[in-house]
Amino acid sequence: MKLLLDTHIALWIAEGSDSLSSKVIEIAANPDNSLYISGAAIWEISIKHSKGNLKLHPRDARSAFHLAGIVELPVSGNHAEAVASLPYYADHSDPFDRIMVAQALHEAVPLLTADAKLWRYHATLVIPA
């Protein structure tokens, strides 16, 4: 199965974090699964790093993702355009989440996340971590 990883899930997998649920560990370890990270997640990491909110440099994150077998999914014009069709929720307007939701819907792959607010975009979209 192909899965798009939310930023925090990809970081947790790459570092082998204790925050990973047994479900996510099982998904990540399954050789039949292909794990993807959005180019938008790299952008998010870059912004958080430059603001001092994340020590991890985006170059090191990308290297860790690669070593963990996580493939980058570039953001396309189709993905960006698909954001316009998403509903707006006043309590959830994170642009990084919205582009990842649009990518998951456009690519017809589930999004693996611990963010419970994302299920509202599409009932079959999110696999809870």
Side-chain angles (χ1 to χ4, degrees):
M1 170 191 320
K2 291 181 181 180
L3 296 124
L4 182 60
L5 305 176
D6 202 347
T7 308
H8 59 278
I9 299 295
L11 287 169
W12 291 347
I13 288 172
E15 69 183 22
S17 172
D18 292 339
S19 299
L20 288 171
S21 69
S22 58
K23 181 178 185 176
V24 174
I25 292 169
E26 181 181 328
I27 288 170
N30 186 335
D32 293 333
N33 291 334
S34 299
L35 306 178
Y36 292 86
I37 183 77
S38 172
I42 307 303
W43 178 29
E44 179 179 18
I45 291 166
S46 297
I47 289 173
K48 288 181 178 184
H49 176 76
S50 67
K51 289 174 141 183
N53 297 337
L54 184 64
K55 290 182 182 181
L56 182 67
H57 192 281
R59 175 186 54 247
D60 297 330
R62 291 180 75 205
S63 177
F65 297 150
H66 177 75
L67 289 172
I70 302 170
V71 178
E72 285 184 32
L73 176 63
V75 176
S76 72
N78 288 332
H79 297 146
E81 185 180 319
V83 172
S85 66
L86 296 177
Y88 177 78
Y89 299 107
D91 68 336
H92 189 266
S93 59
D94 183 293
F96 301 108
D97 285 345
R98 291 177 61 79
I99 190 66
M100 286 185 252
V101 166
Q103 282 183 294
L105 290 171
H106 183 78
E107 299 295 327
V109 298
L111 178 64
L112 186 60
T113 183
D115 187 343
K117 292 181 181 180
L118 296 186
W119 71 267
R120 294 181 292 183
Y121 290 99
H122 194 275
T124 62
L125 173 70
V126 172
I127 294 179

